Coordinates of all heavy atoms in Angstrom, one line a residue:
M253 N 8.2 13.8 -2.8 CA 7.9 12.9 -3.9 C 8.3 11.5 -3.5 O 9.2 11.2 -2.8 CB 8.8 13.3 -5.1 CG 8.1 14.3 -6.0 SD 8.9 14.5 -7.6 CE 10.5 15.2 -7.1
S254 N 7.5 10.5 -4.1 CA 7.9 9.1 -3.8 C 7.8 8.4 -5.2 O 7.1 8.8 -6.1 CB 7.0 8.5 -2.8 OG 5.7 8.4 -3.4
Y255 N 8.7 7.4 -5.3 CA 8.8 6.6 -6.5 C 8.2 5.2 -6.2 O 8.4 4.7 -5.2 CB 10.2 6.5 -7.0 CG 10.8 7.8 -7.3 CD1 11.5 8.6 -6.3 CD2 10.8 8.3 -8.6 CE1 12.0 9.8 -6.7 CE2 11.3 9.5 -8.9 CZ 12.0 10.3 -8.0 OH 12.5 11.5 -8.3
R256 N 7.5 4.8 -7.2 CA 6.9 3.4 -7.0 C 7.1 2.7 -8.3 O 6.8 3.2 -9.4 CB 5.5 3.6 -6.6 CG 4.8 2.3 -6.2 CD 3.5 2.5 -5.6 NE 2.9 1.2 -5.3 CZ 3.1 0.5 -4.2 NH1 3.9 1.0 -3.3 NH2 2.6 -0.7 -4.0
N257 N 7.5 1.4 -8.2 CA 7.5 0.5 -9.4 C 6.2 -0.2 -9.4 O 6.0 -1.2 -8.7 CB 8.7 -0.5 -9.2 CG 8.7 -1.5 -10.3 OD1 8.0 -1.3 -11.3 ND2 9.6 -2.5 -10.2
Y258 N 5.3 0.3 -10.3 CA 4.0 -0.4 -10.3 C 4.0 -1.7 -10.9 O 3.0 -2.4 -10.8 CB 2.9 0.6 -10.8 CG 2.8 0.8 -12.3 CD1 2.2 -0.1 -13.1 CD2 3.3 2.0 -12.8 CE1 2.1 0.1 -14.5 CE2 3.3 2.2 -14.2 CZ 2.7 1.3 -15.0 OH 2.6 1.5 -16.4
M259 N 5.1 -2.1 -11.5 CA 5.2 -3.5 -12.0 C 5.1 -4.5 -10.8 O 4.6 -5.6 -10.9 CB 6.6 -3.7 -12.7 CG 6.7 -5.1 -13.4 SD 5.4 -5.4 -14.6 CE 5.9 -4.4 -16.0
E260 N 5.6 -4.0 -9.6 CA 5.5 -4.9 -8.4 C 4.0 -5.1 -8.1 O 3.6 -6.2 -7.8 CB 6.1 -4.2 -7.2 CG 7.6 -4.2 -7.3 CD 8.3 -3.5 -6.1 OE1 7.6 -3.4 -5.0 OE2 9.4 -3.1 -6.2
D261 N 3.2 -4.1 -8.2 CA 1.7 -4.2 -7.9 C 1.1 -5.2 -9.0 O 0.3 -6.0 -8.7 CB 1.0 -2.9 -8.0 CG 1.5 -2.0 -6.9 OD1 1.6 -2.4 -5.7 OD2 1.9 -0.8 -7.2
A262 N 1.5 -5.0 -10.2 CA 1.0 -5.8 -11.3 C 1.3 -7.3 -11.1 O 0.5 -8.1 -11.3 CB 1.5 -5.2 -12.7
V263 N 2.6 -7.5 -10.8 CA 3.0 -8.9 -10.6 C 2.3 -9.6 -9.4 O 1.8 -10.7 -9.5 CB 4.6 -9.0 -10.4 CG1 5.0 -10.4 -10.0 CG2 5.2 -8.6 -11.8
L264 N 2.2 -8.8 -8.3 CA 1.4 -9.3 -7.2 C 0.0 -9.7 -7.5 O -0.6 -10.7 -7.2 CB 1.4 -8.3 -6.0 CG 2.5 -8.4 -5.0 CD1 2.5 -7.2 -4.0 CD2 2.4 -9.7 -4.2
N265 N -0.6 -8.8 -8.3 CA -2.0 -8.9 -8.7 C -2.1 -10.2 -9.6 O -3.0 -11.0 -9.4 CB -2.4 -7.7 -9.5 CG -3.8 -7.6 -9.8 OD1 -4.6 -7.8 -8.9 ND2 -4.2 -7.4 -11.0
E266 N -1.2 -10.4 -10.6 CA -1.3 -11.5 -11.4 C -0.9 -12.8 -10.7 O -1.4 -13.9 -11.0 CB -0.4 -11.3 -12.7 CG -0.8 -10.2 -13.6 CD -2.2 -10.3 -14.1 OE1 -2.7 -11.4 -14.3 OE2 -2.8 -9.2 -14.4
Y267 N -0.1 -12.7 -9.7 CA 0.3 -13.9 -8.9 C -1.0 -14.5 -8.3 O -1.2 -15.7 -8.3 CB 1.3 -13.5 -7.8 CG 1.4 -14.6 -6.7 CD1 2.4 -15.6 -6.9 CD2 0.6 -14.6 -5.6 CE1 2.5 -16.6 -6.0 CE2 0.7 -15.6 -4.6 CZ 1.7 -16.6 -4.8 OH 1.8 -17.6 -3.9
D268 N -1.8 -13.6 -7.7 CA -3.1 -14.1 -7.1 C -3.9 -14.9 -8.2 O -4.5 -15.9 -7.8 CB -3.9 -12.9 -6.6 CG -3.3 -12.4 -5.3 OD1 -2.5 -13.1 -4.6 OD2 -3.6 -11.2 -5.0
N269 N -4.0 -14.3 -9.4 CA -4.7 -15.0 -10.4 C -4.1 -16.4 -10.8 O -4.8 -17.4 -11.0 CB -4.8 -14.2 -11.7 CG -5.6 -12.9 -11.4 OD1 -6.5 -12.9 -10.6 ND2 -5.3 -11.8 -12.2
V270 N -2.8 -16.4 -11.0 CA -2.1 -17.6 -11.4 C -2.2 -18.7 -10.4 O -2.5 -19.9 -10.8 CB -0.6 -17.2 -11.7 CG1 0.2 -18.5 -11.9 CG2 -0.5 -16.4 -13.0
V271 N -2.0 -18.4 -9.1 CA -2.1 -19.5 -8.1 C -3.5 -20.1 -8.0 O -3.7 -21.3 -7.7 CB -1.6 -19.1 -6.7 CG1 -0.2 -18.9 -6.6 CG2 -2.4 -17.9 -6.2
K272 N -4.5 -19.3 -8.4 CA -5.9 -19.8 -8.4 C -6.1 -20.8 -9.6 O -6.8 -21.7 -9.5 CB -6.9 -18.7 -8.5 CG -7.3 -18.1 -7.2 CD -8.4 -17.0 -7.4 CE -8.0 -15.7 -6.6 NZ -8.6 -14.5 -7.2
E273 N -5.4 -20.5 -10.7 CA -5.7 -21.2 -11.9 C -4.8 -22.5 -12.0 O -5.2 -23.4 -12.7 CB -5.3 -20.3 -13.1 CG -6.1 -19.0 -13.2 CD -7.4 -19.1 -13.9 OE1 -7.4 -19.9 -14.9 OE2 -8.4 -18.5 -13.5
I274 N -3.6 -22.5 -11.5 CA -2.7 -23.6 -11.7 C -2.6 -24.4 -10.4 O -2.3 -23.9 -9.3 CB -1.3 -23.0 -12.1 CG1 -1.5 -22.3 -13.4 CG2 -0.3 -24.1 -12.2 CD1 -0.2 -21.7 -13.9
E275 N -2.7 -25.7 -10.6 CA -2.6 -26.6 -9.5 C -1.2 -26.9 -9.1 O -0.3 -26.9 -10.0 CB -3.3 -27.9 -9.8 CG -4.8 -27.7 -9.8 CD -5.6 -29.0 -10.0 OE1 -5.0 -30.1 -9.8 OE2 -6.7 -29.0 -10.4
G276 N -0.9 -27.2 -7.9 CA 0.4 -27.7 -7.5 C 1.4 -26.6 -7.2 O 2.6 -26.8 -7.0
I277 N 0.9 -25.3 -7.1 CA 1.8 -24.2 -6.7 C 1.8 -24.1 -5.2 O 0.7 -23.9 -4.7 CB 1.4 -22.9 -7.4 CG1 1.6 -23.0 -8.9 CG2 2.3 -21.8 -6.8 CD1 1.2 -21.7 -9.6
C278 N 2.9 -24.2 -4.6 CA 3.0 -24.0 -3.1 C 2.7 -22.6 -2.8 O 3.2 -21.7 -3.5 CB 4.3 -24.4 -2.6 SG 4.5 -24.1 -0.8
R279 N 1.8 -22.3 -1.9 CA 1.4 -21.0 -1.6 C 2.1 -20.4 -0.4 O 1.6 -19.4 0.2 CB -0.2 -20.9 -1.4 CG -0.9 -21.3 -2.7 CD -2.4 -21.2 -2.5 NE -3.0 -21.8 -3.6 CZ -4.3 -21.5 -4.0 NH1 -5.0 -20.6 -3.3 NH2 -4.8 -22.1 -5.0
C280 N 3.1 -21.1 0.1 CA 3.7 -20.5 1.3 C 4.5 -19.2 1.0 O 4.7 -18.9 -0.2 CB 4.7 -21.6 1.9 SG 6.3 -21.7 1.2
E281 N 4.7 -18.4 2.0 CA 5.3 -17.1 1.8 C 6.6 -17.2 1.0 O 6.9 -16.3 0.2 CB 5.5 -16.4 3.1 CG 5.4 -14.9 3.1 CD 4.2 -14.3 2.5 OE1 3.1 -15.0 2.5 OE2 4.3 -13.2 1.9
R282 N 7.5 -18.2 1.3 CA 8.8 -18.3 0.7 C 8.7 -18.5 -0.8 O 9.3 -17.9 -1.6 CB 9.6 -19.4 1.4 CG 11.0 -19.5 0.9 CD 11.7 -18.2 1.3 NE 12.9 -18.0 0.6 CZ 14.2 -18.3 1.0 NH1 14.3 -18.7 2.2 NH2 15.2 -18.0 0.3
C283 N 7.8 -19.5 -1.1 CA 7.6 -19.8 -2.6 C 7.0 -18.6 -3.3 O 7.4 -18.3 -4.5 CB 6.8 -21.1 -2.7 SG 7.7 -22.5 -2.2
K284 N 6.1 -17.9 -2.6 CA 5.4 -16.8 -3.3 C 6.5 -15.7 -3.5 O 6.6 -15.2 -4.7 CB 4.4 -16.2 -2.3 CG 3.8 -14.9 -2.8 CD 2.7 -14.4 -1.8 CE 2.2 -13.1 -2.2 NZ 1.1 -12.6 -1.3
E285 N 7.4 -15.4 -2.6 CA 8.4 -14.4 -2.7 C 9.4 -14.8 -3.8 O 9.8 -14.0 -4.6 CB 9.1 -14.1 -1.4 CG 8.2 -13.3 -0.5 CD 8.8 -13.3 1.0 OE1 9.9 -13.9 1.2 OE2 8.1 -12.7 1.8
D286 N 9.7 -16.1 -3.9 CA 10.7 -16.6 -4.9 C 10.0 -16.4 -6.3 O 10.7 -15.9 -7.2 CB 11.0 -18.0 -4.7 CG 12.1 -18.2 -3.6 OD1 12.7 -17.2 -3.2 OD2 12.3 -19.4 -3.2
M287 N 8.8 -16.7 -6.4 CA 8.1 -16.6 -7.7 C 8.0 -15.1 -8.2 O 8.3 -14.8 -9.3 CB 6.7 -17.1 -7.7 CG 6.6 -18.6 -7.9 SD 4.8 -19.2 -7.8 CE 4.1 -18.4 -9.2
I288 N 7.7 -14.3 -7.2 CA 7.6 -12.8 -7.5 C 8.9 -12.2 -7.9 O 9.0 -11.5 -8.8 CB 6.8 -12.1 -6.4 CG1 5.4 -12.6 -6.4 CG2 6.9 -10.6 -6.5 CD1 4.6 -12.1 -5.2
A289 N 9.9 -12.6 -7.1 CA 11.3 -12.1 -7.4 C 11.8 -12.5 -8.7 O 12.3 -11.7 -9.5 CB 12.3 -12.5 -6.3
Y290 N 11.6 -13.8 -9.1 CA 12.0 -14.3 -10.4 C 11.3 -13.5 -11.5 O 11.9 -13.2 -12.5 CB 11.6 -15.8 -10.4 CG 11.9 -16.5 -11.8 CD1 13.1 -17.2 -11.9 CD2 11.0 -16.4 -12.8 CE1 13.4 -17.8 -13.1 CE2 11.3 -17.0 -14.0 CZ 12.5 -17.7 -14.2 OH 12.8 -18.3 -15.4
T291 N 10.0 -13.3 -11.3 CA 9.2 -12.6 -12.3 C 9.7 -11.2 -12.5 O 9.9 -10.7 -13.6 CB 7.7 -12.7 -12.0 OG1 7.4 -14.1 -11.9 CG2 6.9 -12.0 -13.1
L292 N 9.8 -10.5 -11.3 CA 10.2 -9.1 -11.4 C 11.6 -8.9 -12.0 O 11.8 -7.9 -12.7 CB 10.2 -8.5 -10.0 CG 8.8 -8.1 -9.4 CD1 8.9 -7.7 -8.0 CD2 8.2 -7.0 -10.3
N293 N 12.5 -9.8 -11.8 CA 13.8 -9.7 -12.4 C 13.8 -9.8 -13.9 O 14.7 -9.4 -14.6 CB 14.7 -10.9 -11.9 CG 15.3 -10.5 -10.5 OD1 15.4 -9.3 -10.2 ND2 15.6 -11.5 -9.8
R294 N 12.7 -10.3 -14.5 CA 12.6 -10.5 -15.9 C 11.6 -9.5 -16.6 O 11.4 -9.5 -17.8 CB 12.1 -11.9 -16.2 CG 13.3 -12.9 -16.1 CD 12.9 -14.3 -15.9 NE 14.1 -15.1 -15.7 CZ 14.8 -15.2 -14.6 NH1 14.4 -14.5 -13.5 NH2 15.9 -15.9 -14.5
M295 N 11.0 -8.7 -15.8 CA 10.1 -7.6 -16.3 C 10.8 -6.3 -16.2 O 11.7 -6.1 -15.3 CB 8.8 -7.6 -15.5 CG 8.0 -8.9 -15.5 SD 7.5 -9.5 -17.1 CE 6.5 -8.2 -17.7
S296 N 10.5 -5.4 -17.1 CA 11.0 -4.0 -17.0 C 10.3 -3.3 -15.8 O 9.1 -3.4 -15.7 CB 10.7 -3.2 -18.3 OG 11.2 -3.9 -19.4
A297 N 11.1 -2.6 -15.0 CA 10.5 -1.8 -14.0 C 9.7 -0.7 -14.6 O 10.1 -0.1 -15.7 CB 11.6 -1.2 -13.0
K298 N 8.6 -0.3 -14.0 CA 7.8 0.8 -14.5 C 7.6 1.8 -13.3 O 6.7 1.7 -12.5 CB 6.4 0.3 -14.9 CG 6.4 -0.7 -16.0 CD 6.7 -0.1 -17.3 CE 6.6 -1.2 -18.4 NZ 7.4 -0.9 -19.6
Y299 N 8.5 2.7 -13.2 CA 8.5 3.7 -12.1 C 7.6 4.8 -12.4 O 7.5 5.4 -13.5 CB 9.9 4.2 -11.8 CG 10.7 3.1 -11.0 CD1 11.6 2.4 -11.7 CD2 10.5 2.9 -9.7 CE1 12.3 1.4 -11.0 CE2 11.2 2.0 -9.0 CZ 12.1 1.2 -9.6 OH 12.8 0.2 -9.0
V300 N 6.8 5.2 -11.4 CA 6.0 6.3 -11.5 C 6.3 7.2 -10.2 O 6.6 6.7 -9.2 CB 4.5 6.0 -11.5 CG1 4.1 5.4 -12.9 CG2 4.1 5.0 -10.4
V301 N 6.2 8.5 -10.4 CA 6.3 9.4 -9.3 C 4.9 9.8 -8.9 O 4.1 10.4 -9.7 CB 7.0 10.7 -9.7 CG1 7.1 11.7 -8.5 CG2 8.4 10.4 -10.3
T302 N 4.5 9.4 -7.7 CA 3.1 9.4 -7.5 C 2.7 9.1 -6.0 O 3.6 8.8 -5.2 CB 2.4 8.2 -8.4 OG1 1.0 8.3 -8.2 CG2 2.9 6.9 -8.0
D303 N 1.4 9.3 -5.8 CA 0.9 8.8 -4.5 C 0.3 7.4 -4.8 O 0.2 7.0 -6.0 CB -0.1 9.7 -3.9 CG -1.3 10.0 -4.8 OD1 -1.5 9.2 -5.7 OD2 -2.0 11.0 -4.6
L304 N -0.2 6.7 -3.8 CA -0.7 5.4 -4.0 C -1.9 5.4 -4.9 O -2.1 4.5 -5.7 CB -1.1 4.8 -2.6 CG -0.1 3.9 -2.0 CD1 -0.6 3.4 -0.6 CD2 0.1 2.7 -2.9
G305 N -2.8 6.3 -4.8 CA -4.0 6.4 -5.6 C -3.7 6.4 -7.1 O -4.3 5.7 -7.9
H306 N -2.7 7.2 -7.4 CA -2.3 7.4 -8.8 C -1.7 6.1 -9.3 O -1.9 5.6 -10.4 CB -1.3 8.5 -9.0 CG -1.1 8.9 -10.4 ND1 -2.1 9.4 -11.2 CD2 0.0 8.8 -11.2 CE1 -1.6 9.6 -12.4 NE2 -0.3 9.2 -12.4
A307 N -0.8 5.4 -8.5 CA -0.2 4.2 -8.9 C -1.3 3.1 -9.2 O -1.2 2.4 -10.1 CB 0.7 3.6 -7.8
Y308 N -2.4 3.2 -8.4 CA -3.4 2.2 -8.7 C -4.1 2.4 -10.0 O -4.3 1.5 -10.8 CB -4.5 2.4 -7.6 CG -5.6 1.4 -7.7 CD1 -5.4 0.0 -7.4 CD2 -6.9 1.7 -8.1 CE1 -6.4 -0.9 -7.5 CE2 -7.9 0.8 -8.2 CZ -7.6 -0.5 -7.9 OH -8.6 -1.5 -8.0
T309 N -4.2 3.7 -10.4 CA -4.8 4.0 -11.7 C -3.9 3.5 -12.8 O -4.3 2.8 -13.8 CB -4.9 5.5 -11.9 OG1 -5.7 6.0 -10.8 CG2 -5.6 5.9 -13.2
K310 N -2.6 3.7 -12.6 CA -1.6 3.2 -13.6 C -1.7 1.7 -13.8 O -1.6 1.1 -14.8 CB -0.2 3.6 -13.2 CG 0.2 5.0 -13.5 CD 0.5 5.2 -15.0 CE 1.1 6.5 -15.2 NZ 1.3 6.7 -16.7
L311 N -1.8 1.0 -12.6 CA -1.9 -0.4 -12.6 C -3.0 -0.9 -13.5 O -2.9 -1.8 -14.3 CB -2.1 -0.9 -11.2 CG -2.3 -2.4 -11.0 CD1 -1.1 -3.2 -11.6 CD2 -2.4 -2.8 -9.5
N312 N -4.2 -0.2 -13.4 CA -5.3 -0.6 -14.2 C -5.1 -0.3 -15.7 O -5.7 -0.9 -16.5 CB -6.6 0.2 -13.7 CG -7.1 -0.3 -12.4 OD1 -6.8 -1.4 -12.1 ND2 -7.9 0.5 -11.8
Q313 N -4.2 0.6 -16.0 CA -3.9 0.9 -17.4 C -2.8 0.0 -18.0 O -2.6 0.1 -19.2 CB -3.4 2.4 -17.5 CG -4.5 3.4 -17.2 CD -4.0 4.8 -17.1 OE1 -2.8 5.0 -17.0 NE2 -4.9 5.7 -17.0
L314 N -2.3 -0.9 -17.2 CA -1.2 -1.8 -17.8 C -1.8 -2.5 -19.0 O -2.9 -3.1 -18.9 CB -0.8 -2.8 -16.7 CG 0.5 -3.4 -16.9 CD1 1.6 -2.4 -16.8 CD2 0.7 -4.5 -15.8
K315 N -1.1 -2.5 -20.0 CA -1.5 -3.1 -21.3 C -1.7 -4.6 -21.1 O -1.1 -5.3 -20.4 CB -0.5 -2.9 -22.4 CG -0.5 -1.5 -22.9 CD 0.2 -1.4 -24.2 CE 0.4 0.1 -24.7 NZ 1.4 0.8 -23.9
V316 N -2.7 -5.1 -21.9 CA -3.0 -6.6 -21.9 C -1.7 -7.4 -22.2 O -1.4 -8.4 -21.6 CB -4.1 -6.9 -22.9 CG1 -4.3 -8.4 -23.0 CG2 -5.4 -6.3 -22.4
Q317 N -0.9 -6.9 -23.1 CA 0.3 -7.6 -23.5 C 1.2 -7.7 -22.3 O 1.8 -8.8 -22.1 CB 1.0 -6.9 -24.7 CG 2.2 -7.6 -25.2 CD 1.9 -9.1 -25.6 OE1 1.0 -9.3 -26.4 NE2 2.7 -10.0 -25.1
N318 N 1.4 -6.7 -21.5 CA 2.2 -6.7 -20.3 C 1.7 -7.8 -19.3 O 2.4 -8.5 -18.7 CB 2.3 -5.4 -19.6 CG 3.2 -4.4 -20.3 OD1 4.2 -4.9 -20.9 ND2 3.0 -3.2 -20.3
R319 N 0.4 -7.8 -19.2 CA -0.2 -8.8 -18.3 C 0.1 -10.2 -18.7 O 0.4 -11.0 -17.9 CB -1.7 -8.6 -18.2 CG -2.2 -7.2 -17.8 CD -3.7 -7.1 -17.6 NE -4.0 -7.5 -16.3 CZ -4.3 -6.5 -15.4 NH1 -4.4 -5.3 -15.7 NH2 -4.5 -6.9 -14.1
M320 N 0.0 -10.4 -20.0 CA 0.3 -11.7 -20.5 C 1.8 -12.1 -20.3 O 2.1 -13.2 -19.9 CB 0.0 -11.8 -22.0 CG -1.5 -11.8 -22.4 SD -2.4 -13.1 -21.5 CE -1.6 -14.6 -22.0
D321 N 2.7 -11.1 -20.5 CA 4.1 -11.4 -20.3 C 4.3 -11.7 -18.8 O 5.1 -12.6 -18.5 CB 4.9 -10.1 -20.6 CG 5.0 -9.9 -22.1 OD1 4.6 -10.8 -22.9 OD2 5.3 -8.8 -22.5
I322 N 3.6 -11.1 -17.9 CA 3.8 -11.3 -16.5 C 3.3 -12.8 -16.2 O 4.0 -13.5 -15.5 CB 3.0 -10.3 -15.6 CG1 3.6 -8.9 -15.7 CG2 2.9 -10.8 -14.2 CD1 2.7 -7.8 -15.2
V323 N 2.2 -13.1 -16.7 CA 1.6 -14.5 -16.5 C 2.6 -15.5 -17.0 O 2.8 -16.5 -16.3 CB 0.2 -14.6 -17.1 CG1 -0.3 -16.1 -17.1 CG2 -0.8 -13.7 -16.4
V324 N 3.1 -15.3 -18.2 CA 4.1 -16.3 -18.7 C 5.3 -16.5 -17.8 O 5.7 -17.6 -17.5 CB 4.5 -15.9 -20.2 CG1 5.7 -16.6 -20.6 CG2 3.4 -16.0 -21.2
Q325 N 5.8 -15.3 -17.3 CA 7.0 -15.4 -16.4 C 6.6 -16.1 -15.1 O 7.4 -16.8 -14.5 CB 7.5 -14.0 -16.2 CG 8.2 -13.4 -17.4 CD 9.4 -14.1 -17.9 OE1 10.0 -14.9 -17.1 NE2 9.7 -14.0 -19.1
L326 N 5.4 -15.8 -14.6 CA 5.0 -16.4 -13.3 C 4.8 -17.9 -13.5 O 5.2 -18.7 -12.6 CB 3.6 -15.8 -12.9 CG 3.7 -14.5 -12.1 CD1 2.3 -13.9 -12.0 CD2 4.3 -14.6 -10.7
I327 N 4.4 -18.4 -14.6 CA 4.2 -19.8 -14.8 C 5.6 -20.5 -14.9 O 5.8 -21.5 -14.3 CB 3.4 -20.1 -16.1 CG1 1.9 -19.7 -15.8 CG2 3.4 -21.6 -16.5 CD1 1.0 -19.6 -17.1
E328 N 6.5 -19.8 -15.6 CA 7.9 -20.3 -15.6 C 8.5 -20.3 -14.2 O 9.1 -21.3 -13.8 CB 8.7 -19.3 -16.5 CG 10.0 -19.9 -17.0 CD 10.7 -19.0 -18.0 OE1 10.1 -18.6 -19.0 OE2 11.9 -18.6 -17.6
A329 N 8.2 -19.3 -13.5 CA 8.7 -19.2 -12.1 C 8.1 -20.3 -11.2 O 8.8 -20.9 -10.4 CB 8.4 -17.8 -11.5
S330 N 6.9 -20.6 -11.5 CA 6.2 -21.7 -10.6 C 6.9 -23.0 -10.9 O 7.0 -23.8 -10.0 CB 4.7 -21.7 -10.9 OG 4.5 -22.3 -12.2
D331 N 7.3 -23.3 -12.1 CA 8.0 -24.5 -12.5 C 9.3 -24.6 -11.7 O 9.7 -25.6 -11.1 CB 8.3 -24.6 -14.0 CG 7.2 -25.2 -14.7 OD1 6.3 -25.8 -14.1 OD2 7.1 -25.1 -16.0
I332 N 10.1 -23.5 -11.8 CA 11.4 -23.4 -11.1 C 11.3 -23.6 -9.6 O 12.0 -24.4 -9.0 CB 12.1 -22.1 -11.5 CG1 12.5 -22.3 -13.0 CG2 13.3 -21.9 -10.6 CD1 13.0 -21.0 -13.6
V333 N 10.3 -22.9 -9.0 CA 10.1 -23.0 -7.6 C 9.7 -24.4 -7.2 O 10.1 -24.9 -6.2 CB 9.1 -21.9 -7.1 CG1 8.7 -22.1 -5.7 CG2 9.7 -20.5 -7.3
R334 N 8.8 -25.0 -8.0 CA 8.3 -26.3 -7.7 C 9.5 -27.3 -7.7 O 9.5 -28.3 -6.9 CB 7.3 -26.8 -8.7 CG 6.6 -28.1 -8.4 CD 5.4 -28.4 -9.3 NE 5.4 -27.7 -10.5 CZ 4.3 -27.1 -11.0 NH1 3.2 -27.0 -10.3 NH2 4.4 -26.5 -12.2
N335 N 10.4 -27.1 -8.6 CA 11.5 -28.1 -8.8 C 12.7 -27.8 -7.7 O 13.5 -28.6 -7.5 CB 12.1 -28.0 -10.2 CG 11.1 -28.6 -11.2 OD1 10.3 -29.5 -10.8 ND2 11.2 -28.1 -12.4
N336 N 12.7 -26.6 -7.2 CA 13.7 -26.2 -6.3 C 13.1 -25.4 -5.1 O 13.4 -24.3 -4.8 CB 14.7 -25.2 -6.9 CG 15.3 -25.8 -8.2 OD1 16.2 -26.6 -8.2 ND2 14.8 -25.4 -9.4
P337 N 12.2 -26.1 -4.4 CA 11.5 -25.4 -3.3 C 12.5 -25.0 -2.2 O 13.4 -25.8 -1.9 CB 10.5 -26.4 -2.8 CG 10.9 -27.7 -3.2 CD 11.8 -27.5 -4.5
R338 N 12.4 -23.8 -1.6 CA 13.3 -23.4 -0.6 C 12.6 -23.2 0.8 O 13.1 -22.6 1.7 CB 14.0 -22.1 -1.0 CG 14.8 -22.2 -2.3 CD 15.9 -21.2 -2.4 NE 15.3 -19.9 -2.7 CZ 16.0 -18.7 -2.6 NH1 17.3 -18.8 -2.3 NH2 15.4 -17.6 -2.9
H339 N 11.4 -23.7 0.8 CA 10.6 -23.7 2.1 C 11.1 -24.8 3.1 O 11.7 -25.7 2.6 CB 9.1 -23.7 1.9 CG 8.7 -24.8 1.0 ND1 7.7 -24.7 0.1 CD2 9.1 -26.1 1.0 CE1 7.5 -25.9 -0.5 NE2 8.3 -26.8 0.0
Ligands
ZN631 ZN1 6.5 -23.4 -0.3

């Protein structure tokens, strides 16, 4: 059995959308990781016991409200990272 927090997949997925939409976000690996870590710390983990294929299905089922929450946190994270870049 393996455990997977599919919130990680969801946040990574929304990160890609947010950096495309918002100008001025540094896309370097360090800033990306900082933004994702900040966001994940503020979202509830969603663990599933699964293989990768099943996790992918779950990701698609993530509620719209959850996606919006992730986007809001990512935007907040982008502000913090922009003001305190660690690259
Ligand atoms: Zn950077």
Side-chain angles (χ1 to χ4, degrees):
M253 273 195 291
S254 66
Y255 297 89
R256 186 170 178 83
N257 176 8
Y258 74 81
M259 187 57 76
E260 290 182 18
D261 298 309
V263 169
L264 266 174
N265 191 50
E266 296 303 330
Y267 168 86
D268 286 338
N269 295 331
V270 166
V271 290
K272 273 184 231 155
E273 304 270 324
I274 298 178
E275 288 183 21
I277 296 180
C278 176
R279 299 184 188 200
C280 81
E281 205 56 28
R282 186 64 198 261
C283 291
K284 174 181 178 176
E285 286 169 359
D286 280 348
M287 275 181 66
I288 288 170
Y290 179 95
T291 302
L292 281 172
N293 281 334
R294 282 157 184 79
M295 302 301 299
S296 305
K298 302 285 184 200
Y299 283 100
V300 287
V301 180
T302 183
D303 60 17
L304 261 177
H306 190 66
Y308 184 70
T309 307
K310 281 283 193 186
L311 176 58
N312 285 342
Q313 290 169 350
L314 200 64
K315 289 195 183 73
V316 172
Q317 185 56 50
N318 281 330
R319 306 185 87 101
M320 289 308 300
D321 290 344
I322 292 168
V323 168
V324 166
Q325 292 297 337
L326 278 169
I327 290 169
E328 199 177 302
S330 74
D331 272 344
I332 287 170
V333 169
R334 189 173 18 232
N335 292 330
N336 306 279
R338 297 202 290 170
H339 53 219

